[in-house]
Amino acid sequence: MKIRKENRVLTVNEADKAFYLSQGYEVVEFNENTKVYDVVAKATGGRTYTIAEYNAVADELEIAKEKITLLQEKLIELTPNEFDREAAKAKLTELGVEFKGNVSNETLKKLLEDATKEDGQ
């Protein structure tokens, strides 16, 4: 098994894999086509990052947060409003429409639509 940290590539036993991963080494395999090492397992500790790497990740995070906020706003706009049963009952009472207290939401909606149509005419 080959491991790499910065520009150092070592061949070690599979039994030592966990130790080297915790020390910041990555498990790699040599790609014959591209002539570079491909990372198979990332380091689990002991790794430091440059300021440029950190800033790139921080910028990417900020962009992702902005996209999440925009998508949440769009979702709220596209989600139909929940029916407010109490508000509908209050409006019907205000308009003088009689109804049973245990009437269904669909019936309340229909009564409210009919009452507002009649009130608007």
Side-chain angles (χ1 to χ4, degrees), residues 65-83:
K65 285 181 179 180
E66 290 173 5
K67 285 183 181 180
I68 288 170
T69 303
L70 288 173
L71 289 173
Q72 287 174 334
E73 290 171 358
K74 283 185 180 181
L75 181 63
I76 290 170
E77 290 173 6
L78 296 175
T79 304
N81 294 336
E82 291 186 25
F83 181 69

Side-chain angles (χ1 to χ4, degrees), residues 14-30:
E14 185 75 27
D16 297 329
K17 179 180 177 180
F19 170 76
Y20 282 103
L21 287 175
S22 69
Q23 296 298 311
Y25 287 85
E26 298 173 325
V27 178
V28 293
E29 289 181 355
F30 188 71

Side-chain angles (χ1 to χ4, degrees), residues 34-114:
T34 60
K35 305 292 184 202
V36 296
Y37 286 99
D38 294 332
V39 176
V40 176
K42 294 189 179 260
T44 57
R47 173 88 163 88
T48 57
Y49 297 94
T50 65
I51 296 296
E53 289 173 319
Y54 174 81
N55 288 338
V57 171
D59 292 343
E60 188 176 327
L61 176 63
E62 196 62 37
I63 291 169
K65 285 181 179 180
E66 290 173 5
K67 285 183 181 180
I68 288 170
T69 303
L70 288 173
L71 289 173
Q72 287 174 334
E73 290 171 358
K74 283 185 180 181
L75 181 63
I76 290 170
E77 290 173 6
L78 296 175
T79 304
N81 294 336
E82 291 186 25
F83 181 69
D84 188 357
R85 182 178 176 82
E86 296 305 315
K89 288 167 70 174
K91 182 70 174 172
L92 286 171
T93 303
E94 178 185 314
L95 293 172
V97 177
E98 294 181 12
F99 57 92
K100 293 181 181 178
N102 62 351
V103 69
S104 68
N105 286 348
E106 289 77 26
T107 307
L108 281 176
K109 288 178 189 177
K110 177 95 170 89
L111 288 171
L112 191 59
E113 287 175 11
D114 293 344

